[in-house]
Amino acid sequence: MSEEKSKTTGKSLTSKLFSGVGPILLILIALFVVFSVIRGDVFLSGDNIQDLLLSTAVNGITALGMTCCIICGGVDLAAGSTIGMAAMVVSYFTSGQIAEGGLVPVFVAMLIAVVVGALIGFINGILINDGGLPPFIATIGMQIIIRQSINLIFEARIIAQLPTEFTDIALNTVFGIPVMAFVWFVLAIITWLMIKFTPFGRNIFAVGSNAETARLSGISLRATRCGAWMYSGVMSAIAGILLCARLGNGIPSTGSENYEFMAIASSVVGGASMSGGEGSVIGTFIGAIILQTIRNGGIIIGMNAHLLEMIVGAIIIIAVLFDKNSGSN
Amino acid sequence: MGIESNPIIRLNNIVKEFPGVRALKGVTFDVRPGEIHALVGENGAGKSTLIKCMMGVHEPTSGEIYLNGVQQRVKDPQQARELGLGAVYQDVNLAQSLTVGENFFIGNLPKTKWGTVNWKYIYKEAQKTLDELKINVDAKDTVRHLTIGQQEMVCIARTVHEKAKVIIFDEPTALLANEEVGILFDLIHRIKDMGVGIIYISHRLEEIFQICDRVTVLKDGAYVETLNVKDTNQDDLVKLMVGRDLTNMYDIEHFPKGECALKVENLTSKGVFENISFEAYKGQILGMFGLVGAGRTEICKAIFGADKFDSGKVFINGKEEHIKNPRSAMKKGVALLPEDRKKEGLCLGLSVDFNTNMASYDLISKCCWINLKKEHERTRHYIKEMETKTPSIKQLCKNLSGGNQQKVVIGKWLCRDADVMIFDEPTVGVDVGAKAEIYKLIEQLTRQGKCIILISSYLPEIMGLADEMMVISEGKLMGTLDRSEFMKDGKLDEERALRLASGISE
C-alpha cells in the first residue's frame, strides 16, 4: 500500500513548477518581460533598477518580520508605527539640532532605535501570550499608542540636520547595489537561516500550527511569541532607520503609509497562511519584489496610480486563491 | 424482519482511483432494510473511501450504485441527503453555540408566513424526533452544554429526522463512556426496527458481535467477504482483515520489576483529583483504568507539568522534583502522549519529519544550529522501526491515517528516550494492525527497562497489557489490582474493574 501511495508525490516538472515558489517566480518573470517589452528603455535602465531596489528594500525588510509573526499564527499591525518610532529615535540621537555633532555616534543611535523596536515587539508578545489578546487587537492598539507617543515625545515636529554620514546610507552602493538593498538581502538570508536551522525558528512554525501541541512538546509559548514579535519589531526598526536615511529627515509620520499591509501582502503572496504554521522567506522576498515591480513598472508604462493599487489588491486575492488550490492537492 | 428482502442500497463493483493509487478495487456490497451491516478493515482498507462514494463526496471511477433497485448517480452530499442517505461521523458535526432544534434545521430554517423564523415549529419537530427515539435531550438545550454522547445522539436524531433510509455510523462508540454505549445500542435497535438500513463501522470487533447482522471485510481496497455475524467469530474476522493471526496481540512478554521510576504522593487538584498516590517501576506497565471523565488525563498532565496542581509530591528516580512545565518534565525523563493526537499531539499541517523532531532539537543541534542530516536520519529510523506508512518524511501529518499519525506522535517521544512514558489512550481510532504494532512497541520499551503508564478505557486492552492496574473514579484512587487478580473463573474480571470505576469501593 505504501509503495502504491508513493506515486502520488511524484516530483514531475509540472508539479515542481506549480508548487512552492514556482508560480510566483513565473509571475515575476512575466511582469519583467511585459514591462521590458513595453518600456524597456526606462524600466530596465540602471537608475530605475536602483530605484526599484531602494523602494523594495524598506517593504521587503518589514515583510521579513511580518512573515515570522504570520507563521506564528498572528500578525504585527504595529509595524508602521515601529518604523516611525525608529526613524524618530535615530534622528533624535544623531541630529545637529539636538546636540552639536549629534548626541551619540550614528551607530549607537541606530542600535538604540533597534532596541526600541525590540521593546515594542516584546510588549506585543506579552500582550498576546500572557494577556491572551488576539494579535490583531494587541498590535492595532500598540500601533495607535506608538504613533501617538511619537507625536507626544517629539512634539510632532520634523527633526532635521541629520549627519550626512547617516543619510548617505541611502545613496551608497556596495558591490554595485544600493546599501539598503544589500542590507535587505543579508537580512533575508539571516531570516531564512533562522527559520530553517534554529530551534527558535522551528518553534515559530510549531506554535503557529498548533500552540497546544507545541506547549505539550515542551516549547515555551511565551519565549516563541515574544521572540517572533521582537524579531518583527527589530526588522521594522531597521526598515525605519533606512527609510529615514532616504527621506533625509526625521518625519513623525514616517511609516504611516500602509507598510503593514504591504508586508502582509508580500508574505501571503509568498505562501504564508494567515492561520499560521506556513510561510516562506524566499516567497516573501519574491512577493515584495512583485508588488513593488507592479507599482514601479506600472507608473513607467503610464498606468493610473489608483488603478495600480487596485491591481496590487487583486494580486493578493489571486495569490491566496492559487495557494489554496495547490495546498489541497 | 426483512433480513432476506431486497436491499435498500447496493454498490456493485465500485472502483475508485486517485492519481497513483487504486483505493477501491471493485467492491460489491449491499444493505437490506432493518439490517445492521458492519464494515470492517484496517486503516487504508478503503472503508472511508467507499462511504464517501456512497455519500457523494467522491465519484466512483467505475461501478454502479442502486437505491431500491434503481441505478443512481450520487453527484454530491446534498443529493445523497435527498436520496435518503445519512451519516454520523466521529467528529460531532454540530454548531456548538446553537440549540439542538436549530441544528436540526441548520441552513434551512422554516419561516412563518411573516418571514420570521418559526421557532415553535422547529422545537416541536425536533422534540418529536428526539422523543420517538427516546433520547433524553431537550430540543431547546444548547449543544455546547450536552455531553459528547448526547451530541452524538442528536446527530443521529437529525439524520433520522431527514428521513434517511440508510444511515452510516462511523466509529460511533469511540468517544462514548461505557454506559453511553448501551444507550446508543438501544437507539440503533430502535432505528433498525423502523426499517432503516444501517452500516456500522468500528474497530471494536466485540461490538459487531453484539449488534450486527452481517459483516463485510475489506482489505487493501479489495472486497474480501461478507458473512453472517452468527456464522463467524472475532479471530476469523481478524484473519480476514489482516491476513495474519493477531488473536494474541495483547499477549506481550512481561518483565521483572526494576527500580521505582516514578512515585507520586498525595497529589491533589481541587475539584479534579484528590490524594493520588502510587509507584511506577522500570520494566513495568502501570495501567490507569476509569470511566471517561474520571480524571486520569488530568492526573497525568499534572505529573507532566502541563497542568497545575494544588498539593502533593512527585519523585522521579527517587528524587523529589518540582515540575513547572512540560519542558522540565521532559528534562527529567518523562514523556506524555496526549489523549487527542490531532489537537494535542501533532501539528497536522507540518510534516512527519517536523513532528518527529519537534520535541528534541536539543539532541540534534549545536549552538542553536540544527543538524538536518541527523534530523532526517532520526525520522527515517523511527518510520522504519514502527513501520509507519508514509510516502515520504515530508508528508504532512494531516494526510496520514489515524494509526500512522499515532505512530508519528510516539516517534516524537521515542526521540527523547524518556525513562517514564505515559500513553493516554494510545489506540483510540487506530486499526487492528497498527494496534498490534503499538503493543509490540510498548513491550519493546518495557524490555529496555522503561516505565510505562497506560491510560485506557478499554478493559481487554488494559488488562491484557498491564502488570498492575489502578482504577480511578471521580478523581479518587479506588484500588490497585495486580495482574494476578485480573482473571476470575478463566475470564477477565471486568465486573470488578467496572464496579471500582463506578465509585463502588470494595
Side-chain angles (χ1 to χ4, degrees), chain A residues 1 4-9 193 196-199 202-203 205-206 209-210 212-219 277, chain B residues 19-21 44 304 306 326-327 330 342-347 350 354 358-359 361 368-370 372 375 412-413:
Chain A
M1 198 69 189
E4 282 188 54
K5 287 221 163 88
S6 67
K7 289 181 197 142
T8 56
T9 58
L193 291 173
K196 193 169 156 96
F197 290 96
T198 66
R202 300 294 187 90
N203 291 345
F205 276 93
S209 173
N210 186 330
E212 185 59 10
T213 298
R215 184 181 83 96
L216 292 174
S217 303
I219 293 171
Chain B
V21 163
F304 185 62
R327 180 103 235 150
M330 283 157 63
K342 287 185 176 161
K343 293 208 186 109
E344 302 171 316
L346 291 171
C347 290
L350 297 173
F354 187 101
M358 64 182 280
Y361 290 130
C368 289
W369 187 267
I370 297 173
L372 289 191
E375 187 185 22
K412 171 169 80 171
W413 291 109

Side-chain angles (χ1 to χ4, degrees), chain A residues 129-250:
Chain A
N129 188 65
D130 293 52
L133 290 173
F136 184 87
I137 302 290
T139 56
I140 270 190
M142 283 298 280
Q143 166 92 307
I144 297 171
I145 292 174
I146 302 295
R147 182 61 65 188
Q148 296 312 316
S149 3
I150 294 174
N151 291 329
L152 208 62
I153 299 173
F154 301 104
E155 293 166 356
R157 284 214 294 252
I158 296 178
I159 299 178
Q161 288 187 37
L162 300 184
T164 47
E165 190 193 336
F166 173 64
T167 53
D168 276 354
I169 293 174
L171 303 170
N172 292 342
T173 60
V174 61
F175 309 128
I177 46 175
V179 166
M180 282 173 65
F182 186 74
V183 169
W184 172 37
F185 296 161
V186 168
L187 288 176
I189 294 174
I190 292 175
T191 310
W192 177 72
L193 291 173
M194 179 189 77
I195 64 170
K196 193 169 156 96
F197 290 96
T198 66
F200 168 63
R202 300 294 187 90
N203 291 345
I204 294 179
F205 276 93
V207 171
S209 173
N210 186 330
E212 185 59 10
T213 298
R215 184 181 83 96
L216 292 174
S217 303
I219 293 171
S220 164
L221 296 182
R222 177 189 286 155
T224 307
R225 286 173 173 148
C226 282
W229 269 268
M230 281 171 78
Y231 193 79
S232 180
V234 165
M235 291 295 117
S236 301
I238 295 174
I241 292 169
L242 294 176
L243 184 54
C244 179
R246 192 166 188 213
L247 292 172
N249 288 310

Side-chain angles (χ1 to χ4, degrees), chain B residues 153-189:
Chain B
M153 313 263 188
V154 168
C155 279
I156 298 172
R158 178 170 67 176
T159 317
V160 169
H161 173 85
E162 286 166 0
K163 305 253 179 296
K165 286 273 154 267
V166 177
I167 301 184
I168 300 164
F169 285 86
D170 191 352
E171 298 282 0
T173 59
L175 299 171
L176 296 185
N178 288 326
E179 59 286 3
E180 287 176 308
V181 170
I183 300 175
L184 175 73
F185 284 177
D186 286 341
L187 175 57
I188 293 182
H189 274 122

